[in-house]
Each structure stands twice: as C-alpha cells, then as structure tokens.
Amino acid sequence: VYVIQPETAEGHALLSLKRANAERQWRVAEQQYRDNELLRARVIDYNKGGLIVDVSGIRGFVPISQILNLKREEVAQGGDNQETAAKLEGMKDKELQLKIIEINRARNRLILSERLANQEYRQRRREELLDELRPGEVRRGIVSNLANFGAFVDLGGADGLVHISQLAWSRVNHPSEVLKVGQEVEV
C-alpha cells in the first residue's frame, strides 16, 4: 500500500492501493527506460497530437511524429486532417510495440515512440538473423524490392540481394519478369 497520511484525527493510517500500484508501475517504467526495453501498450484514445496509450495503468503519449504507419505529409499536417484523424481513430484498442523516449514522473509525463521501437526491434532481429545464417542454408523470404541488378528479399529482419543472374536458368532482362514485390520465395 501507499501511505497517504500516517495518522488521521481518529488515529488511523490513510492508505491507498491505487497509488501503490501507480507507484510500482512508474518504477517499472523507469527501469524499462534505463534498460532500453521495448514494451507493448494498448491505444486507449487519440488527439490531434498523437495517441494516448495505457502502459500498465500509466497514461502514456505517442506523438504523431513517432507513429509508424503515418506518412510525412500526415505528420506535418497533424491530426487536423480528417484522413489522419481517421487513421488515429482506427488505431484505438490496438496494441503497439513502443519504446520510452522521455519519462518525467514529477510532471506525470511518459512519452513513447513506435518508430524507435520498430527500428530497434529490426536492428536486434537483424543481428540475431546474421548470427544464425549459414552458407548453403535454404530460407523462405518475401521480395521487398526490385532493382535493375536483382531482387531484395527480406528474411525476417535483414534484406539479402539475389543477383539478376541468379533469378532464373534463362536470361532475365529485369527482375519484374520473374518476381513481384510481396511474393514469398525460397532462397
């Protein structure tokens, strides 16, 4: 429990379970911030500046510039644009992977980023993937991009290049003759 008042006029201690839980959650959040941890939180509301999320009982804020699936133009216009506001509203009740970028307990402020969490997750996943890949191994991946010289295939954290000369037994003028972006392939 959290002691609000050690002794009231009647001689009893005034305690709070709710404040104790909030105190514990702030301490957990501070530890997550220090440890650079990624966390999951549910979107509970939105405003023109971004999303409001529930981080284990603490209200956190994800600024519009830190939301992953918004384009630069949408971020520049803010939540004033009806299309952007609709996207923000559509994210309500979704669970996001986030990283704490600012924490100020005195001001009851918890700022998070979905963009940084995604970058960090991909970086970690890429390092894991590069450690486990072995020459001669066969993997499934998704074609992420096509270029004149070949196709890039996402193996779940890192992209690899399949040179145009390795796409087919016959001559290929452009990778689009053989592959499409989003297609699943064995490499």
Side-chain angles (χ1 to χ4, degrees), residues 25-26 36-37 53 62 70 90 102 110 115 126 133 138 144 156 169 184:
Q25 290 316 127
W26 275 106
N36 249 343
E37 275 184 48
V53 294
V62 182
L70 293 181
E102 184 185 329
L110 184 66
R115 282 189 191 279
R126 182 176 187 271
L133 286 176
V138 176
S144 59
W169 292 104
E184 189 172 331

Side-chain angles (χ1 to χ4, degrees), residues 137-143 153 155 162 166-167 179 183-187:
E137 192 176 14
V138 176
R139 293 267 182 146
R140 295 196 75 68
I142 308 262
V143 177
V153 177
L155 297 175
V162 180
Q166 301 297 310
L167 290 177
L179 299 170
Q183 181 180 343
E184 189 172 331
V185 293
E186 272 193 355
V187 293

Side-chain angles (χ1 to χ4, degrees), residues 43-48 50-51 67 70 79 81-94:
V43 178
I44 54 174
D45 206 356
Y46 71 97
N47 58 34
K48 70 178 187 171
L51 300 171
I67 299 171
L70 293 181
N81 179 341
Q82 283 183 335
E83 191 177 315
T84 307
K87 274 190 179 179
L88 292 174
E89 186 177 8
M91 294 179 81
K92 205 168 171 189
D93 292 324
K94 287 201 171 136

